[in-house]
Amino acid sequence: MNKLFLILDNLLGIREQLNLDKIENIIMDSRKVQKGDLFFAINNGNKYINEVLEKGASIVVADNYLGDDKRVFKVLNTVEFMQKFAKEYREALGLKVIAITGSNGKTTTKDMIYSVLSRKYITKKTEGNYNNHIGLPFTILQLKEKDEIVVLEMGMSGFGEIDLLSSIAKPDIGVITNIGDSHLEFLKTRENVFKAKTELLNYVSSENTYIIGDDQYLKNVVGNKIGFSRENNFVIEDFIDSNDGMSFKVENSEYTLNLNGKHNALNAGIAIAIGKRFDLTSEEIKEGLKNLHLTPMRFQKIEKENLIYINDAYNASPISMEYSLNTFDKLYNNMKKIVVLGDMLELGEKEIEFHREIIEKALSIKCDKIYLYGERMKKAYDLLEKNDKIRCFNNKENIVKLIANEIEKIAVLLKGSRGMKLEEIIK
């Protein structure tokens, strides 16, 4: 019997009640349940208990069940039970845990670290957006005893959330990418974002902390600092950006990526530093970065006929908007360029001011047209002097039509918060 089963048996007594000795898979989505699986009934999942039992689930953990099927184990709170289960399982595993948080760049940095470390170790990572109080423990419970490293992304919107995730994951290595304006609707100030993100530092030593040293809030944190400034432990030098990607040097070794932007060089710098921490050679790290597969919609290049889309529409904040615009400014200047900007969400009482500043930033870069989508962008634009380069839209279909009518080859940047779904313009 594996450790996962033994821990669950210790918590629930499943062997005595069901005469089982293994679990096939751990599932939260009732549609994916197969014979032998353990199903966590979370929130609305309680409605599908009978359905998953009919599919052959061997165990169901639920907090709202009135039936008498002995395969259903009722707990006070399913999510809290899963967190406890994951915490004990993590402690029983012999692997290393790398935890990543920050306002921007978490997912890209996670993908880069994973790609680098996978050259030498059996490595797993957070999939999709499973980075909260449910997704993180669920990810831990998917691990196998043979796994050597897991790279976990930690998201948050308020105080105490990173602390909770860290208490479950017990990280060996901590990464903080930057401190920005995300979640100001809840946290109000960047100082509070800094306090919330750095809850991670209570769980890792300074020698196992990796941060962007160029960030004004992180530069005074004790740890391994990565950045362009000479004061950093890992200095990024000779940075070159082009339509084909970027190159730069760290400790006299040159690295190339099929990506753009100084912000992505910083993310890669973290992956390089952690690769060295785990005794990878520069050649192994280069190979990992060369074979990088990013989660979609992170400055993703998509070519269609006479169009080049830069799909950076997974999410947006003032800092990530600025990163994207600065990068787009230096690319594709041999063709017509269009910037499509959607609303940024969860920015609090200063949201219109933030949107106005981003529109002004867009006006300062090399582009031919700026299309704005969303009520916040429209309100911000109304505060500015009218400009022929800018048009506002209340539906994406009209943006699609205008782009489709372009005759010459064009490059289109899409950037907005997840709720704006700007990627639909491509489809």
Side-chain angles (χ1 to χ4, degrees):
M1 282 174 285
N2 60 21
K3 292 177 181 178
L4 187 72
F5 185 87
L6 289 171
I7 291 167
L8 185 64
D9 182 45
N10 186 53
L11 292 172
L12 293 177
I14 54 177
R15 264 191 300 178
E16 184 178 336
Q17 185 164 327
L18 298 178
N19 193 28
L20 287 175
D21 58 7
K22 69 175 183 176
I23 304 163
E24 293 299 335
N25 296 292
I26 293 179
I27 305 292
M28 291 192 297
D29 186 339
S30 61
R31 296 168 296 183
K32 298 179 180 179
V33 170
Q34 296 180 7
K35 187 174 181 179
D37 291 347
L38 182 159
F39 175 66
F40 278 108
I42 295 172
N43 300 328
N44 286 335
N46 286 282
K47 297 179 181 177
Y48 301 100
I49 293 173
N50 290 331
E51 178 185 318
V52 301
L53 291 172
E54 288 175 7
K55 287 182 174 181
S58 58
I59 303 167
V60 175
V61 178
D63 52 19
N64 186 10
Y65 178 68
L66 300 177
D68 57 1
D69 194 302
K70 66 178 183 178
R71 291 174 290 173
V72 181
F73 292 80
K74 192 168 180 182
V75 295
L76 196 61
N77 183 295
T78 307
V79 173
E80 290 178 3
F81 177 84
M82 185 165 69
Q83 291 170 349
K84 177 179 174 61
F85 184 15
K87 184 176 181 178
E88 293 196 16
Y89 185 48
R90 184 271 176 268
E91 291 173 352
L93 293 172
L95 83 178
K96 296 293 185 183
V97 174
I98 301 171
I100 304 174
T101 191
S103 296
N104 307 106
K106 293 185 296 295
T107 302
T108 300
T109 304
K110 172 199 72 181
D111 290 339
M112 289 177 171
I113 294 172
Y114 169 81
S115 188
V116 166
L117 296 181
S118 294
R119 306 307 301 175
K120 187 171 183 177
Y121 300 97
I122 302 171
T123 309
K124 295 288 177 62
K125 65 175 179 175
T126 301
E127 297 295 342
N129 60 350
Y130 278 29
N131 63 4
N132 64 4
H133 65 295
I134 296 173
L136 180 136
F138 181 74
T139 298
I140 290 173
L141 292 173
Q142 305 302 308
L143 297 172
K144 308 299 181 187
E145 291 179 37
K146 66 179 181 179
D147 294 328
E148 297 174 294
I149 300 174
V150 62
V151 189
L152 296 175
E153 184 178 332
M154 293 183 175
M156 50 134 272
S157 58
F159 290 117
E161 294 176 31
I162 296 297
D163 183 74
L164 170 64
L165 299 179
S166 299
S167 71
I168 297 167
K170 291 289 195 301
D172 300 284
I173 304 285
V175 176
I176 306 179
T177 57
N178 60 11
I179 304 299
D181 301 309
S182 302
H183 310 303
L184 289 186
E185 181 180 353
F186 311 104
L187 289 170
K188 307 302 181 186
T189 67
R190 275 201 196 182
E191 287 75 14
N192 283 341
V193 175
F194 172 77
K195 290 176 185 175
K197 296 291 186 185
T198 52
E199 290 171 0
L200 173 62
L201 301 182
N202 295 324
Y203 293 84
V204 292
S205 61
S206 57
E207 59 263 34
N208 289 325
T209 297
Y210 291 79
I211 51 183
I212 298 297
D214 295 346
D215 185 277
Q216 62 174 323
Y217 289 91
L218 297 175
K219 64 183 179 181
N220 295 321
V221 171
V222 180
N224 300 286
K225 297 185 176 70
I226 297 95
F228 291 91
S229 168
R230 303 299 306 178
E231 286 75 41
N232 290 299
N233 305 95
F234 295 87
V235 180
I236 298 171
E237 302 176 289
D238 300 338
F239 174 80
I240 299 173
D241 217 353
S242 73
N243 291 356
D244 298 320
M246 64 178 171
S247 66
F248 58 87
K249 288 182 179 178
V250 175
E251 296 182 337
N252 295 319
S253 291
E254 184 173 80
Y255 299 89
T256 60
L257 287 92
N258 187 26
L259 267 179
N260 294 104
K262 284 190 170 183
H263 58 295
N264 280 321
L266 290 169
N267 298 334
I270 293 175
I272 292 165
I274 289 179
K276 290 179 178 292
R277 163 70 173 75
F278 282 89
D279 299 321
L280 273 77
T281 66
S282 294
E283 291 307 312
E284 287 171 325
I285 295 170
K286 289 176 186 179
E287 195 67 21
L289 293 175
K290 181 181 177 182
N291 292 286
L292 174 66
H293 295 286
L294 286 180
T295 302
M297 294 191 282
R298 270 78 171 185
F299 220 83
Q300 178 186 12
K301 184 191 295 187
I302 299 170
E303 297 195 46
K304 299 181 73 172
E305 298 175 356
N306 68 325
L307 289 171
I308 297 175
Y309 283 105
I310 302 298
N311 183 3
D312 202 21
Y314 181 77
N315 221 332
S317 67
I319 283 183
S320 68
M321 281 275 199
E322 190 168 341
Y323 285 161
S324 291
L325 291 168
N326 281 336
T327 303
F328 194 59
D329 178 42
K330 297 173 175 62
L331 303 175
Y332 308 110
N333 289 320
N334 59 339
M335 62 182 74
K336 191 170 186 178
K337 295 167 64 175
I338 296 174
V339 172
V340 182
L341 300 177
D343 283 356
M344 299 175 284
L345 308 179
E346 298 182 359
L347 291 181
E349 57 191 27
K350 291 185 178 180
E351 63 176 9
I352 303 305
E353 181 181 338
F354 284 125
H355 283 77
R356 178 183 57 78
E357 290 173 355
I358 289 303
I359 296 170
E360 290 175 339
K361 174 66 183 178
L363 284 167
S364 74
I365 73 165
K366 299 184 190 75
C367 70
D368 299 280
K369 296 178 182 178
I370 300 168
Y371 296 159
L372 305 177
Y373 173 68
E375 60 182 49
R376 295 166 184 82
M377 283 293 179
K378 176 65 167 66
K379 288 177 181 177
Y381 176 63
D382 288 342
L383 300 175
L384 299 170
E385 290 185 16
K386 297 300 172 274
N387 189 299
D388 291 339
K389 284 177 71 170
I390 302 179
R391 288 188 62 175
C392 295
F393 298 84
N394 55 19
N395 68 70
K396 283 170 274 196
E397 288 75 15
N398 288 336
I399 298 176
V400 172
K401 289 176 184 176
L402 281 176
I403 292 174
N405 288 334
E406 295 285 351
I407 300 173
E408 55 195 302
K409 189 164 186 177
I410 61 170
V412 182
L413 172 67
L414 304 175
K415 185 67 177 173
S417 279
R418 184 79 304 271
M420 305 312 291
K421 298 181 179 178
L422 290 185
E423 71 278 3
E424 291 177 350
I425 289 171
I426 303 172
K427 297 173 183 176

